[in-house]
C-alpha cells in the first residue's frame, strides 16, 4: 500500500460513504441513509474513519464512543483492496481514538454469517463474547 491515508470523514464525504457501503459492506443498517450518517457526523465528526489509497475510498469504520463504551461499526474494505492490511489499519486508528478518549475496551457488531469478517476480527485480537446476545428494537 503506497499511499494509504486514514482520517475522519467530512460532511462532503457522506454520500460517497453510503455508495461505498453498497459495494463493500455486508448487510444493511436501519441508519444507512443520508439522514442517519449526517446525524452521526453532526454528533461526533471524528467517529467515521475513512481509508483512502491514492485518494480513492477503500475502507471505513465507525469508532463510536459514548463516554463509557467504545463501539465499532461498519468496518468495510473495498473488495479489490482486501487482504492488504487496510482493515487492520482502520481498527488500529479506531483503537488509538478510543485510548485518547479514555476508552478501555472496544466492542464490535459482526454478522454471525460473515465468516470472512470473523477471521479479520480474530486476527486483530477481538473475540466473540458468548455470554451476550444483542437485543434490538426499532424506534419510531
Amino acid at each position: 500500500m503506497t499511499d494509504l491515508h486514514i482520517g475522519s470523514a467530512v460532511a462532503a464525504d457522506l454520500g460517497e460513504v453510503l455508495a461505498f457501503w453498497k459495494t463493500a459492506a455486508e448487510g444493511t443498517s436501519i441508519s444507512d441513509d443520508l439522514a442517519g450518517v449526517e446525524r452521526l457526523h453532526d454528533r461526533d465528526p471524528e467517529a467515521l474513519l475513512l481509508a483512502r489509497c491514492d485518494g480513492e475510498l477503500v475502507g471505513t469504520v465507525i469508532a463510536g464512543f459514548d463516554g463509557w463504551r467504545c463501539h465499532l461499526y461498519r468496518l468495510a474494505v473495498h473488495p479489490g483492496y482486501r487482504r492488504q492490511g487496510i482493515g487492520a489499519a482502520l481498527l488500529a486508528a479506531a483503537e488509538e481514538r478510543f485510548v485518547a478518549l479514555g476508552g478501555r475496551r472496544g466492542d464490535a457488531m459482526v454478522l454471525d454469517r460473515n465468516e470472512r469478517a470473523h477471521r479479520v476480527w480474530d486476527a486483530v485480537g477481538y473475540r466473540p463474547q458468548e455470554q451476550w446476545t444483542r437485543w434490538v428494537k426499532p424506534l419510531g
Side-chain angles (χ1 to χ4, degrees):
M1 196 68 28
T2 57
D3 182 29
L4 183 66
H5 172 75
I6 296 177
S8 298
V10 298
D13 294 323
L14 302 182
E16 179 185 15
V17 167
L18 286 167
F20 175 80
W21 285 342
K22 288 180 182 177
T23 300
E26 177 76 20
T28 59
S29 167
I30 196 169
S31 302
D32 281 2
D33 57 28
L34 191 56
V37 179
E38 285 175 338
R39 268 190 305 280
L40 167 69
H41 189 263
D42 289 345
R43 184 179 181 286
D44 186 352
E46 296 179 7
L48 176 54
L49 299 176
L50 307 182
R52 292 189 180 275
C53 183
D54 298 322
E56 179 184 354
L57 181 59
V58 296
T60 67
V61 70
I62 298 172
F65 182 64
D66 62 14
W68 185 41
R69 300 230 173 132
C70 307
H71 304 289
L72 295 156
Y73 308 92
R74 286 313 213 186
L75 176 64
V77 175
H78 186 283
Y81 288 86
R82 291 182 180 153
R83 302 195 52 82
Q84 297 181 39
I86 294 169
L90 280 162
L91 290 173
E95 291 167 3
E96 288 175 19
R97 169 178 158 71
F98 292 152
V99 169
L101 292 170
R104 295 185 274 174
R105 179 183 67 191
D107 64 56
M109 296 186 24
V110 184
L111 292 170
D112 289 339
R113 70 175 186 264
N114 192 345
E115 292 182 19
R116 178 177 44 224
H118 297 179
R119 291 189 296 272
V120 172
W121 288 101
D122 186 65
V124 294
Y126 287 79
R127 303 290 179 263
Q129 196 171 16
E130 308 232 356
Q131 69 270 32
W132 296 102
T133 298
R134 179 175 176 223
W135 293 46
V136 299
K137 176 185 176 183
L139 304 174

